[in-house]
Amino acid sequence: MTTAPAERYIDNLIIALQLRGVPGEKIGQIVAEVEAHVAESGEDPGDAFGKPREYARTWARDIGRPVNSPGRIRNVLGIAACAAGGWFLAIGVLRTFTDETVWGLHALVSVVIGVALLVGGLLTVQKNVVIDPRTGLEPHRLKRAARRGFVIAGSAVLLFVAAAIVIGVALE
Amino acid sequence: MTDQWPQAWTRAAIEMCVLALVKESGLTHGYEIAQRLRDAGLGDIKGGTLYPILGRLEDRGQLRSQWTGGVGGPGRKIVDITDEGVRVLEASVADWVAWTGRVAATIGVTHSTPGGQ
């Protein structure tokens, strides 16, 4: 049976593999192998596979290039769109109160542009979906790890947007 | 005789040994391969070493795999050798025998080493 420490190990392994840009399908394979091996041998996953970070590094090295270039370009564009969106949104909101325009546009138009860029940017950023080879589906036991990953990624985006807003306000 | 060998030796021989064990046992799985390596006196090969090797051999088309009995449980990844795997194994075994023969001759051993077979 998979015990709580094994689950924690696997959560950390998934995050470590995601951070190194290992494709989701491969992550599913790696995780399923760890689960199967630990279930059969009764070993502690840390003893059998080493630290999650180190094990993830071994796979990332074997796979080579992290995240294919088109995927990376998409992600950079998505994050840039989010940042620009944050700026338009912040300026738009501020100037709605002061009744000024943004580059000759009504302040509300700037708000709409900001929201559109934010949403578009978020949709552009590619999600690396983990596929369990045993079911061909996204495993529900990964939800916790996925949530943690989402919180980390979400915080990064929010931080970026906040920085864009601060810069936007400072430039006012 | 020890069962822990220098890492460099293991690294040099492990892929060939894995291919040979998979060929010999037919359908098998990771944990069984690890046990057989240990039983053969090749040392304790950890999962963290073994599975990336299996992955590499599969990526090169020398092994193929399939998951069984996985729904709602950990399941097993069953591996099997491919024709390409057999070809690579035969070629490397021939080279390995030649190489170890030369090493043995160089260090002054002419016949099989103590502990072998």
Side-chain angles (χ1 to χ4, degrees), chain A residues 33-90:
Chain A
E33 280 171 1
V34 171
E35 284 182 336
H37 183 92
V38 169
E40 192 139 15
S41 67
E43 288 173 293
D44 176 83
D47 290 342
F49 293 91
K51 289 198 183 104
R53 237 178 339 156
E54 281 158 20
Y55 192 43
R57 205 178 299 142
T58 306
W59 280 103
R61 211 175 25 230
D62 272 9
I63 289 161
R65 231 163 15 132
V67 189
N68 52 4
S69 318
R72 184 173 276 182
I73 291 167
R74 266 186 74 159
N75 288 350
V76 169
L77 285 177
I79 291 168
C82 284
W87 185 83
F88 272 105
L89 184 61

Side-chain angles (χ1 to χ4, degrees), chain B residues 67-115:
Chain B
W67 280 92
T68 58
V71 182
R76 266 183 182 172
K77 187 184 186 179
I78 303 294
V79 296
D80 192 10
I81 195 163
T82 62
D83 292 344
E84 169 69 5
V86 173
R87 194 189 63 71
V88 168
L89 174 63
E90 282 167 1
S92 30
V93 166
D95 284 350
W96 182 264
V97 170
W99 161 251
T100 49
R102 286 178 200 183
V103 171
T106 305
I107 60 177
V109 184
T110 42
H111 288 293
S112 67
T113 53

Side-chain angles (χ1 to χ4, degrees), chain B residues 50-62:
Chain B
L50 180 62
Y51 290 93
I53 289 166
L54 293 175
R56 235 174 287 152
L57 292 173
E58 198 175 343
D59 286 345
R60 289 191 216 132
Q62 295 166 17

